[in-house]
């Protein structure tokens, strides 16, 4: 099946530094990638939608200058958390759109646990 | 009103029983519906997708969709302790030939006890 490889699976960084998270589609082309954030005991919250070759679309309340998304190729999308602070500590998950027997389906990366200290 | 709402949990069932998970959605034009299972600390994994009214069965799982009532459910037969997880209902407002942003319910925690 279609696989989205997400790295790193966990990262600890110091406050004020930046962290890059990568999502690669391994056996299909991901034209669109969604980026989610999940806090403990909460559901997934959509942060932004990225489309290959164009600027990402951010959800209301998400700072585009803080969460930089790049989708330069059909197999790679990245999320960079800039000047991270402890409140950015969360579980970040990417999701790619793919055709599923005539309908569209969504496959998720394995997630990145970010801890900012 | 929440766009996608799931029955409040946590839900606890004995091993071998049927677990019933429910979800309602507010956007009447929604066309695609998904059930995901999420273990603690892991990302969601797809259990079932359903696009048409009626039932869809896959092994021990049955998804039921009623667009008139804006209701989708997931039944898990012969529940196993390994089914213990958070189940997320997700709705795509777009039709089958296009896609949109998934909207997730808040999740229902299921515990299957031996």
């Amino acid at each position: 099946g279609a696989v989205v490889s997400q790295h790193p699976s966990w990262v600890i960084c110091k406050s004020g530094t930046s962290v890059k998270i990568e999502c690669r589609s391994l056996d299909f082309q991901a034209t669109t990638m969604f980026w989610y954030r999940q806090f403990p005991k909460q559901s997934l919250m959509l942060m932004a939608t990225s489309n290959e070759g164009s600027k990402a679309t951010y959800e209301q309340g998400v700072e585009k200058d803080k969460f930089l998304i790049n989708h330069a190729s059909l197999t790679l999308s990245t999320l960079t958390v800039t000047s991270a602070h402890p409140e950015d500590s969360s579980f970040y998950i990417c999701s790619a759109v793919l055709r599923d027997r005539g309908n569209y389906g969504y496959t998720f990366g394995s997630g990145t646990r970010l801890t900012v200290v | 009103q929440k766009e996608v709402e799931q029955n409040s949990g946590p839900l606890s069932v004995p091993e071998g029983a049927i677990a019933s998970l429910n979800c309602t959605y507010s956007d009447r034009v929604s066309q695609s519906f998904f059930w995901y299972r999420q273990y603690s600390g892991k990302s969601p994994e797809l259990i079932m997708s359903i696009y048409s009214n009626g039932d869809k069965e896959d092994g021990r799982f049955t998804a039921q969709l009623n667009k008139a009532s804006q209701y989708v459910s997931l039944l898990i037969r012969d529940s196993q302790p390994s089914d213990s997880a958070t189940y997320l209902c997700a709705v795509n407002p777009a039709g089958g030939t296009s896609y949109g942003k998934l909207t997730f319910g808040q999740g229902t925690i299921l515990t299957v006890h031996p």
Side-chain angles (χ1 to χ4, degrees):
Chain A
V3 175
V4 173
S5 176
Q6 184 170 349
H7 293 281
S9 55
W10 61 271
V11 58
I12 302 173
C13 71
K14 291 185 177 180
S15 187
T17 61
S18 296
V19 173
K20 179 185 283 189
I21 301 169
E22 292 189 351
C23 278
R24 295 181 182 272
S25 55
L26 297 186
D27 49 4
F28 67 101
Q29 293 182 331
T31 306
T32 298
M33 193 80 77
F34 297 101
W35 286 93
Y36 296 87
R37 178 168 52 182
Q38 186 177 34
F39 292 107
K41 299 190 185 302
Q42 294 186 22
S43 192
L44 279 71
M45 288 178 47
L46 181 66
M47 299 175 65
T49 304
S50 73
N51 291 294
E52 185 267 338
S54 62
K55 290 184 179 181
T57 302
Y58 291 82
E59 295 300 300
Q60 191 173 10
V62 177
E63 301 174 58
K64 62 180 182 180
D65 294 331
K66 181 173 184 61
F67 299 98
L68 302 180
I69 291 173
N70 184 285
H71 196 155
S73 78
L74 287 171
T75 59
L76 176 64
S77 178
T78 63
L79 167 66
T80 301
V81 183
T82 63
S83 187
H85 291 285
E87 57 265 30
D88 298 323
S89 298
S90 188
F91 192 47
Y92 292 86
I93 312 170
C94 61
S95 174
V97 180
L98 68 158
R99 290 300 291 268
D100 174 26
R101 284 169 285 184
N103 289 293
Y104 280 96
Y106 304 78
T107 187
F108 286 84
S110 55
T112 297
R113 175 78 56 194
L114 170 63
T115 302
V116 185
V117 298
Chain B
Q1 181 185 2
K2 293 182 180 178
E3 295 182 30
V4 179
E5 195 152 357
Q6 297 183 231
N7 53 320
S8 59
L11 178 65
S12 181
V13 300
E15 185 175 356
I18 295 175
S20 178
L21 304 163
N22 303 314
C23 175
T24 57
Y25 58 96
S26 60
D27 190 343
R28 188 168 285 277
V29 302
S30 298
Q31 296 292 327
S32 307
F33 307 86
F34 306 86
W35 282 100
Y36 289 90
R37 176 175 62 196
Q38 187 176 27
Y39 292 113
S40 181
K42 303 294 185 181
S43 71
E45 56 177 321
L46 181 67
I47 299 295
M48 294 281 283
S49 59
I50 186 165
Y51 307 97
S52 305
N53 279 327
D55 295 359
K56 179 180 178 182
E57 186 175 319
D58 184 0
R60 296 186 296 113
F61 301 93
T62 298
Q64 299 174 317
L65 174 61
N66 184 326
K67 291 185 180 179
S69 299
Q70 295 174 240
Y71 172 92
V72 58
S73 67
L74 179 70
L75 298 177
I76 307 174
R77 291 181 300 281
D78 189 24
S79 296
Q80 300 297 310
S82 59
D83 294 326
S84 298
T86 298
Y87 288 80
L88 298 167
C89 172
V91 176
N92 169 23
T97 57
S98 62
Y99 58 86
K101 298 182 289 188
L102 281 181
T103 301
F104 285 87
Q106 73 275 29
T108 299
I109 298 173
L110 172 66
T111 301
V112 181
H113 52 87

